[in-house]
Amino acid sequence: MTIHWCGTGLSAIPGLRALIKGGQDVVVWNRSVDKAQSAVGDLTDRIHGFDKDALAKTVKAGDVVVSMLPGDWHVPLAELAISKSAHFVSASYIAPEMRALNDAAKTAGVALVNEVGLDPGIDHLMAHHLIE
């Protein structure tokens, strides 16, 4: 199983670094490769410029796609994950468009894990960890 982590914004870095340090198989996708290298380049060289088509070519069944990108990317990435029989995780609340993917995810046998009502949310908890 490979974790395809999309987005290395400030609140994403602690979780991403923990996964890589923990020995997980992680590939980082970010709009700015330089920014991703600054964030985790000391831990991995598996960093790519974010490109949905390139990502689609590498995601395999059983993988996990994590979106720490802006919210308008969550549904397209969840759809991509479902089409590849991969799981999907984001730190955003469930939008109606995401909820509409529930049946397709069940049929594909994959999980779509979004913000689950924590307040502060997962992204805020990671930011707090970063500040500490």
Side-chain angles (χ1 to χ4, degrees), residues 40-93:
V40 295
D42 60 319
L43 301 175
T44 185
D45 60 357
R46 297 180 72 195
I47 298 171
H48 303 283
F50 177 74
D51 178 277
K52 186 180 169 200
D53 295 331
L55 175 63
K57 291 178 183 175
T58 64
V59 174
K60 306 275 188 266
D63 285 354
V64 178
V65 176
V66 176
S67 179
M68 294 299 287
L69 295 173
D72 58 339
W73 274 105
H74 297 328
V75 169
L77 289 179
E79 290 171 335
L80 168 71
I82 293 167
S83 76
K84 299 291 186 169
S85 297
H87 307 283
F88 174 80
V89 177
S90 84
S92 290
Y93 288 103

Side-chain angles (χ1 to χ4, degrees), residues 17-35:
R17 290 185 66 83
L19 288 172
I20 297 169
K21 284 180 180 178
Q24 298 299 317
D25 183 12
V26 179
V27 178
V28 179
W29 301 84
N30 198 58
R31 291 182 283 188
S32 165
V33 171
D34 291 342
K35 183 178 177 186

Side-chain angles (χ1 to χ4, degrees), residues 78-131:
E79 290 171 335
L80 168 71
I82 293 167
S83 76
K84 299 291 186 169
S85 297
H87 307 283
F88 174 80
V89 177
S90 84
S92 290
Y93 288 103
I94 301 171
E97 298 83 5
M98 184 67 72
R99 188 175 307 280
L101 299 177
N102 187 56
D103 290 340
K106 285 182 179 179
T107 299
V110 299
L112 303 180
V113 180
N114 295 273
E115 179 63 68
V116 290
L118 296 175
D119 196 4
I122 295 166
D123 53 339
H124 293 120
L125 291 174
M126 286 192 282
H128 179 72
H129 177 72
L130 179 66
I131 292 166

